[in-house]
Amino acid sequence: MNREERKSAPIGVFDSGVGGLTVAREIMRHLPNENIVYFGDTARVPYGSKSKDNIIRFSRQIIRFLETKEVKAIVIACNTASALALEVVREEVEIPIIGVVEPGARAALEATKTKKIGVIGTEATIRSAMYEKIIQGIDPEVTVMGKACPLFVPLVEEGFAKHTVTEEIIDFYLASFLKTDIDALILGCTHYPLLRSRIRAYVGERIALVNPAYETAMDLRNLLQVHDMENTDTNQEHGMYSFYVSDAADKFKQFANSILPFDIETTKQINIEEY
């Protein structure tokens, strides 16, 4: 692949389901020339209750699929896979790979004044304590409080974000945070920004909500600049976007069109177990 071909090659983005679309959305907004190949592992969502070995196996399979699309960089748009698989797969693949945990951790450090940060995520992400390790590696004086919210992902995937049952579950999970001095709360799962308005209404204005998606897009921009891989072709209004899933393509497409800035015409289902 020559220099110009590499510049126009797509970015690979993957997640356990629809949550990673919040990261793809930020890439579309802030890196409009970049082409994207997105994979949502809808057959195996949620990742948060799976073992580390399985998360690594899933990530390897998806990366092998994305390599067939000749991607120039990969964004693991999933906190669970970023926490459990990123370090492993980075060592195995020549393509630059970034996750969403490090950018989110840095943003939370910038947001906090009390040095008390809350993190909500899947069971696997919270159990890994990856946010805590990164944050305290930068500033050991910061206290990090984690809370697993396993029902948030299925609520989003099933379209219940605006249902009253979601308010009750937010109260169930987040009530304990209101009794603390945290002033920053990391939405440590890419599905959670789709519940942002409900979470904001519940926690109030005192607590800053940190969405790692924007910071991840900024990290991707820096990565592309460092490696001289930015797509400089401005002949089209925006990049070309392809979407693949492991199950329920029509349901995914319908959801994607409700949150992305551009309607997607087709979503292709593939057998990810073949990779």
Side-chain angles (χ1 to χ4, degrees):
M1 193 186 297
N2 64 36
R3 182 169 173 268
E4 289 310 309
E5 287 173 333
R6 190 169 72 153
K7 280 176 169 281
S8 62
I11 307 294
V13 181
F14 77 85
D15 180 52
S16 61
V18 301
L21 292 170
T22 60
V23 178
R25 181 170 63 185
E26 296 300 324
I27 297 170
M28 291 173 180
R29 284 174 177 164
H30 300 287
L31 289 77
N33 294 339
E34 297 299 337
N35 304 313
I36 297 172
V37 176
Y38 183 97
F39 179 80
D41 199 2
T42 46
R44 302 184 291 202
V45 68
Y47 277 10
S49 55
K50 307 291 193 299
S51 69
K52 180 175 182 175
D53 286 348
N54 269 326
I55 299 300
I56 292 171
R57 180 170 69 86
F58 296 168
S59 299
R60 283 173 172 151
Q61 288 176 324
I62 296 164
I63 288 166
R64 283 194 285 269
F65 164 69
L66 291 173
E67 285 178 314
T68 69
K69 300 302 177 185
E70 298 189 325
V71 297
K72 62 185 176 185
I74 292 174
V75 178
I76 302 182
C78 170
N79 283 264
T80 303
S82 295
L84 300 181
L86 177 60
E87 289 181 4
V88 174
V89 296
R90 253 187 188 155
E91 297 297 317
E92 300 172 346
V93 181
E94 292 184 12
I95 301 166
I97 305 179
I98 64 171
V100 290
V101 174
E102 289 179 33
R106 289 198 314 270
L109 279 166
E110 289 172 14
T112 185
K113 294 181 176 62
T114 64
K115 290 187 180 285
K116 292 184 173 63
I117 296 172
V119 182
I120 52 175
T122 66
E123 292 170 281
T125 297
I126 299 303
R127 195 165 55 242
S128 77
M130 189 58 71
Y131 273 104
E132 187 174 358
K133 290 170 190 169
I134 293 170
I135 288 169
Q136 292 186 337
I138 299 169
D139 186 346
E141 294 181 5
V142 175
T143 300
V144 181
M145 292 169 247
K147 178 77 175 179
C149 305
L151 289 175
F152 281 176
V153 169
L155 283 170
V156 169
E157 291 276 341
E158 296 302 323
F160 276 74
K162 294 177 181 172
H163 197 282
T164 53
V165 70
T166 300
E167 293 178 6
E168 295 177 22
I169 292 170
I170 287 172
D171 175 57
F172 176 75
Y173 285 143
L174 303 190
S176 58
F177 280 128
L178 299 185
K179 300 169 188 171
T180 71
D181 293 331
I182 69 160
D183 64 349
L185 179 63
I186 300 172
L187 305 180
C189 171
T190 49
H191 286 72
Y192 295 2
L194 298 167
L195 300 173
R196 184 189 181 103
S197 60
R198 290 295 177 97
I199 294 172
R200 160 63 64 224
Y202 183 77
V203 301
E205 297 297 326
R206 179 179 67 83
I207 299 173
L209 298 184
V210 178
N211 175 8
Y214 169 78
E215 281 75 20
T216 301
M218 296 301 100
D219 272 25
L220 175 62
R221 173 185 281 166
N222 293 338
L223 175 82
L224 297 179
Q225 289 172 346
V226 166
H227 290 273
D228 190 26
M229 293 194 299
E230 282 184 296
N231 190 1
T232 51
D233 180 8
T234 56
N235 291 328
Q236 52 198 33
E237 184 183 350
H238 57 76
M240 294 184 293
Y241 309 130
S242 305
F243 296 87
Y244 297 85
V245 293
S246 49
D247 196 20
D250 287 342
K251 181 180 175 184
F252 175 91
K253 186 176 81 166
Q254 185 179 0
F255 194 99
N257 285 339
S258 72
I259 67 166
L260 292 178
F262 312 103
D263 275 2
I264 63 176
E265 293 176 8
T266 57
T267 300
K268 189 173 180 182
Q269 183 174 324
I270 62 162
N271 181 5
I272 195 63
E273 294 288 1
E274 292 179 351
Y275 291 88

